[in-house]
Amino acid sequence: MRIAISTGGGDAPGLNAVIRAVVLSAHYRGWKSYGIQRGYEGLLSFNGVVPLGPAEVRGITHLGGTILGTTNRGNPFRYVMRDGEGNESEVDRSGDLVAAFQASGFDALVSIGGDGSLLISHQLWCKGLPVVCVPKTIDNDVSGTQRTFGFDSAVSTATEALDKVHSTAESHDRVMVVELMGRYAGWIALYSGLSGSADVILLPEIPFDIEKVCDKIRAREAAGRRFSVVVVAEGARPSDGAIELVERRGVGTVDRLGGIASKVARAIELGTGKETRTLVLGHLQRGGSPTTYDRLLALRFGGAAVRAIADGAFGVMVGLNGPDITRVPLADVVGRAKNVPLGGDIIATARELGISLGD
Ligand code: F6P
């Protein structure tokens, strides 16, 4: 067997652990593994296929990023081409990709990615490419799995940041508004906001009323708590407004979210008269070593992906469901974002602890 491995979309802590698990599990079965560099670019636009054996994946479990590189502009179905004048247009190059895959003599593809990569993998599977997917993203917004790897590491980084923000906010009697990633899902904001003792948590799942946010800060002030920490997910929006975008991106990729923290901070300053500062944690959430939880999950996912190949189970994603790693058909996963359930115990706990969710 010859297995190809590709990492696509934004990076996440644990990617290298998956690669190592796939390569070693394949190696001990007597199979060969190959890495496609920079998403599918290594098959589509340059000669980027590298053999991966035990030596190449030695000592990488704890390393952030991906040894293969990645891109979020490499969709073969919507491949971005530039003409001589710099104008961009989309071309379907999926046929080229399947042809390059077959010409390389690959028997299976392990695609490690988030919602965008899963959609591409499903389309490739429909074109006959034997693919097994591993769910990756700090956002934890992939359905068919309770967890994506990378999420725990991002939450851990965000929680540590909130702990640090607390002491400076308290010293200066300030309101600190911390903007966290997560796209259209509030998992990172909710988990780290709760663990990091935020006073207000604003999620994409619950459009917020800025007056309610100000009420909470005023109530704390009246109780002698002269500082507040507000966590805002990048995809959160006021009940009478839209999601903030840094950039509406062009062809072949997705919009870039961001900017809600400064809007919320300005409104809090106006509403409460309190000095309010912002912190946008940004890509720190994607960098660095995976936590133990993410390493283990990533290694389990990698092993399970190779077991699926051994069983001839293609067109599936491996996922954590209960105590087990299960196989979920890609058709049941794509186009179904997993959002924070509003009736869940974590939302209830946040409310019971007196945290304002802005509603
Ligand atoms: O999907 C992971 C993620 O980090 C999101 O939380 C964030 O919105 C996005 O990627 C940022 O992507 P980029 O690095 O392309 O700006």
Side-chain angles (χ1 to χ4, degrees):
M1 286 286 266
R2 287 162 63 87
I3 300 182
I5 306 170
S6 137
T7 55
D11 65 348
L15 277 165
N16 286 323
V18 180
I19 295 170
R20 180 163 178 271
V22 171
V23 169
L24 292 183
S25 308
H27 173 78
Y28 290 119
R29 284 177 164 85
W31 301 351
K32 299 248 178 281
S33 299
Y34 298 83
I36 305 171
Q37 295 175 316
R38 277 191 259 147
Y40 295 118
E41 291 291 341
L43 281 179
L44 286 176
S45 68
F46 70 102
N47 192 6
V49 175
V50 288
L52 295 175
E56 286 74 26
V57 298
R58 189 164 296 138
I60 64 168
T61 301
H62 66 293
L63 299 181
T66 160
I67 59 167
L68 294 176
T70 186
T71 172
N72 46 18
R73 290 181 70 94
N75 185 343
F77 292 88
R78 301 179 63 184
Y79 198 79
V80 179
M81 306 286 266
R82 257 176 224 92
D83 65 18
E85 276 142 33
N87 301 315
E88 293 185 338
S89 60
E90 285 179 4
V91 182
D92 181 354
R93 293 199 59 203
S94 57
D96 295 344
L97 179 64
V98 173
F101 180 89
Q102 285 164 349
S104 304
F106 295 138
D107 300 297
L109 169 68
V110 175
S111 168
I112 314 170
D115 54 351
S117 304
L118 286 160
L119 178 62
I120 295 166
S121 296
H122 182 238
Q123 290 171 304
L124 290 172
W125 161 241
C126 293
K127 281 182 97 99
L129 201 120
V131 62
V132 173
C133 295
V134 174
K136 163 240 64 169
T137 168
I138 63 164
D139 304 337
N140 196 39
D141 59 351
V142 173
S143 55
T145 183
Q146 287 162 355
R147 282 279 176 285
T148 53
F149 75 84
F151 172 66
D152 187 67
S153 307
V155 168
S156 175
T157 298
T159 304
E160 193 186 338
L162 291 175
D163 289 346
K164 292 184 174 173
V165 156
H166 256 95
S167 56
T168 173
E170 184 159 18
S171 307
H172 288 264
D173 291 340
R174 281 174 176 153
V175 178
M176 294 290 303
V177 180
V178 182
E179 180 176 309
L180 299 177
M181 283 184 166
R183 256 186 210 294
Y184 306 104
W187 295 101
I188 299 176
L190 180 62
Y191 275 51
S192 60
L194 188 51
S195 310
S197 305
D199 306 296
V200 178
I201 305 174
L202 304 177
L203 308 173
E205 289 83 355
I206 306 177
F208 64 86
D209 176 349
I210 196 69
E211 257 316 298
K212 296 277 169 57
V213 176
C214 292
D215 284 348
K216 173 70 187 176
I217 292 165
R218 287 189 209 105
R220 280 177 56 78
E221 192 85 4
R225 310 293 285 151
R226 303 190 59 217
F227 75 99
S228 291
V229 174
V230 176
V231 165
V232 57
E234 63 180 359
R237 64 177 176 84
S239 38
D240 58 354
I243 293 176
E244 288 296 316
L245 294 182
V246 173
E247 184 188 357
R248 187 166 290 287
R249 283 181 174 162
V251 292
T253 186
V254 286
D255 290 339
R256 201 173 136 205
L257 276 59
I260 187 68
S262 57
K263 287 264 158 86
V264 167
R266 227 172 298 136
I268 290 174
E269 216 158 40
L270 276 174
T272 66
K274 286 202 65 73
E275 183 181 5
T276 305
R277 299 289 183 89
T278 59
L279 170 71
V280 179
L281 204 57
H283 291 82
L284 274 183
Q285 293 159 97
R286 291 226 307 249
S289 290
T291 57
T292 306
Y293 182 94
D294 274 341
R295 287 180 205 190
L296 187 57
L297 185 61
L299 293 169
R300 291 175 74 195
F301 278 164
V306 176
R307 281 197 296 280
I309 294 171
D311 292 344
F314 294 107
V316 296
M317 178 191 85
V318 295
L320 177 71
N321 289 296
D324 301 319
I325 305 294
T326 59
R327 296 169 191 164
V328 191
L330 287 176
D332 295 348
V333 171
V334 296
R336 295 183 192 186
K338 183 183 70 191
N339 280 94
V340 170
L342 297 186
D345 81 284
I346 303 191
I347 290 279
T349 305
R351 292 193 194 279
E352 285 156 8
L353 265 56
I355 296 171
S356 165
L357 301 179
D359 58 345

